[in-house]
Amino acid sequence: MAAKARATSTTLPPAASAEEIASAEAVLGFALPPLLASLYREVANGGYGPEYQLLPLVGAGRTVLSEYQSERSGSAQGETPFWPAGVLPILDWGCAMYAAVDCRSETATVLLFEPNAMTDDGAAAWFVDAGSLAEWLETWLAGTGWYREDAYENTDEEPEDMPPWELAASRIAE
């Protein structure tokens, strides 16, 4: 991961310290999945990864911590709640879409938040992008993620539709 991060990013921010990660977890009220914490602690505080790059965990401006707090707050105040407890936005795809990690899942399931799919049910906006954070990162390393225009260029395969995230409604209700 570190080698690919250095190869694809012109300026990586310094890694987050163990103290910064512990402080973020205290504010969140839950622990980061071990792989995600390792990425922030050992590679960099965001600034690398698929397409638009991982958000920084902490620091100035938009961070994982500030986006989670903002989305949870906005969700709770709106007519249609939409942001689940324990799901951290780690990458902004643009157009209000996020890659997010379910911090309560043993494998750190990566989810896609696609608000354009939301009607009067916030749960309808959530899809499973990858069964684990490790799997999601492997698609980035291999250059085979759904977001790559050329991922299916030389194959007869079509990208599969992402399945809905079945836990969305119960986690949004928390």
Side-chain angles (χ1 to χ4, degrees):
M1 286 300 304
K4 174 98 177 198
R6 283 190 296 276
T8 58
S9 180
T10 55
T11 56
L12 285 176
S17 68
E19 293 78 19
E20 288 172 318
I21 291 171
S23 177
E25 290 174 332
V27 169
L28 291 167
F30 55 85
L32 298 179
L35 177 56
L36 187 59
S38 292
L39 293 172
Y40 283 115
R41 189 178 54 251
E42 298 171 18
V43 178
N45 186 25
Y48 65 94
E51 300 296 308
Y52 296 94
Q53 305 179 341
L54 296 178
L55 293 165
L57 177 64
V58 294
R62 293 181 69 209
T63 65
V64 168
L65 187 58
S66 69
E67 290 300 298
Y68 177 74
Q69 291 170 324
S70 174
E71 294 296 343
R72 282 291 287 168
S73 174
S75 175
Q77 294 172 4
E79 288 182 27
T80 304
F82 59 88
W83 201 272
V87 175
L88 286 182
I90 60 167
L91 187 144
D92 183 343
W93 288 117
C95 299
M97 295 174 22
Y98 284 102
V101 173
D102 179 5
C103 293
R104 294 187 187 172
S105 118
E106 286 184 26
T107 61
T109 302
V110 177
L111 305 167
L112 173 68
F113 175 66
E114 176 26 314
N116 296 308
M118 187 168 45
T119 54
D120 60 347
D121 177 11
W126 290 95
F127 301 89
V128 177
D129 188 343
S132 70
L133 179 57
E135 177 186 322
W136 187 75
L137 291 167
E138 286 171 8
T139 64
W140 173 59
L141 291 171
T144 59
W146 60 265
Y147 45 84
R148 297 274 313 238
E149 288 183 25
D150 61 350
Y152 296 93
E153 197 169 84
N154 297 318
T155 177
D156 292 334
E157 292 181 43
E158 289 290 321
E160 293 182 28
D161 288 339
M162 290 181 198
W165 184 43
E166 294 181 11
L167 298 176
S170 64
R171 296 280 289 285
I172 290 169
E174 292 181 27

